[in-house]
Amino acid sequence: MNIAGLPEVAARFALDFVLPQRCFSCDARVSEQTGLCAECWSRMPFLERPWCERLGIPFSYDVGDGAWSPQAIASPPVFDRLRAVAFYDGPARQMVHALKFSGRRELARPMARWMARSGNELLSRDSLLVPVPLHWMRLLQRRFNQAADLAKEVARECGGQFEPQVLRRQKRTRRQVGLSAKDRHKNVRSAFKVDGGRADLVQGRHVVLIDDVLTTGSTVSACCKCLLSSGAASVDVLTFAQVDPALRSGNTT
């Protein structure tokens, strides 16, 4: 059946019949515009203003523009600002797992659209978008880097420059899951470097580091130190999700 000549509404109906839209989280059938079913939408832990200027952590009440959270004051991050779509829980966690571990690469585009909206103030056509890299052996096993998929789509949204090869992971680290904050920092120490042939891309640039989820922040901090030491003017971090600081059991960003 050739639907190219049908009116737009009829064509959309025909496509929905053949390829019905599914909830990004639970796979229930939904309308094309929502992406999440009503139940998953209600459980999605979106992050909204007012929030900490540095860490993007929501405040329970408005404390004024540019305010820092206690976490940011006690332990200022290496990066300038962090923005995320949601806390790493519920549907947000399920979407991250589906992309990373189940190979649902089609989720990268809608996830990146939400990231571009949440990180709008960080992004411009002058931004250099750099994904957190995988070690080549892990990339060979997984066959794709979810952070690179997200960064590519965020660049499509904002018009920025996508450069997936700027950062290299030169040491195959242990998986961070289950490690303490101290062990996470130790695990990624000296794990990253800026590719020598692409160092000039970083000089004097505003860099936005992209990842799927931030837990303690040890990985992004190690990446940011490399970018800043290679001449980046500033580095912001944009992720799809971040672990609620209240659940980090004392871990620091």
Side-chain angles (χ1 to χ4, degrees):
M1 178 180 179
N2 181 9
I3 65 172
L6 294 176
E8 183 179 351
V9 174
R12 187 181 300 276
F13 176 82
L15 287 173
D16 285 348
F17 180 78
V18 176
L19 299 171
Q21 299 295 316
R22 299 292 179 179
C23 175
F24 297 149
S25 176
C26 72
D27 208 35
R29 188 168 179 173
V30 296
S31 68
E32 183 178 6
Q33 289 75 25
T34 61
L36 293 174
C37 68
E39 181 178 351
C40 288
W41 184 272
S42 68
R43 295 191 299 110
M44 185 73 169
F46 287 113
L47 304 182
E48 299 179 353
R49 291 182 180 276
W51 55 36
C52 168
E53 175 67 16
R54 295 296 297 275
L55 301 179
I57 301 169
F59 292 125
S60 57
Y61 57 91
D62 193 350
V63 294
D65 292 339
W68 288 25
S69 62
Q71 294 92 332
I73 294 172
S75 182
V78 176
F79 48 82
D80 288 356
R81 296 167 294 180
L82 165 69
R83 297 293 181 265
V85 174
F87 279 136
Y88 186 52
D89 194 17
R93 183 188 185 99
Q94 292 164 351
M95 291 174 69
V96 168
H97 281 211
L99 172 62
K100 181 186 293 187
F101 302 119
S102 298
R104 294 280 307 280
R105 298 182 70 179
E106 74 277 6
L107 290 179
R109 189 164 192 180
M111 290 169 70
R113 285 174 177 168
W114 279 342
M115 291 169 67
R117 286 196 290 269
S118 296
N120 180 62
E121 63 192 304
L122 313 182
L123 302 168
S124 73
R125 292 186 177 275
D126 296 325
S127 299
L128 181 68
L129 278 74
V130 175
V132 171
L134 292 177
H135 188 268
W136 69 268
M137 292 183 67
R138 187 160 292 165
L139 182 60
L140 190 64
Q141 293 172 344
R142 191 176 294 169
R143 303 180 68 179
F144 73 99
N145 178 2
Q146 74 281 352
D149 280 8
L150 291 170
K152 182 178 180 179
E153 295 298 338
V154 172
R156 186 201 299 264
E157 292 293 314
C158 73
Q161 182 179 352
F162 169 57
E163 289 292 342
Q165 303 298 327
V166 164
L167 273 177
R168 299 280 189 179
R169 190 184 289 251
Q170 60 184 351
K171 182 176 73 172
R172 189 180 186 188
T173 56
R174 297 166 56 196
R175 292 187 181 276
Q176 297 279 69
V177 177
L179 297 181
S180 67
K182 181 179 179 180
D183 287 339
R184 283 173 179 260
H185 284 287
K186 183 178 180 180
N187 191 38
V188 296
R189 188 178 301 152
S190 304
F192 303 97
K193 70 173 181 179
V194 170
D195 183 86
R198 295 176 174 83
D200 59 327
L201 294 174
V202 176
Q203 292 287 330
R205 297 288 298 276
H206 167 237
V207 180
V208 181
L209 184 70
I210 305 290
D211 206 0
D212 56 341
V213 60
L214 180 140
T215 49
T216 64
S218 55
T219 297
V220 298
S221 293
C223 291
C224 290
K225 288 176 182 178
C226 289
L227 293 164
L228 290 168
S229 65
S230 294
S234 61
V235 182
D236 290 320
V237 176
L238 179 59
T239 69
F240 180 74
Q242 70 160 313
V243 172
D244 186 342
L247 304 178
R248 291 179 187 161
S249 301
N251 292 337
T252 57
T253 298

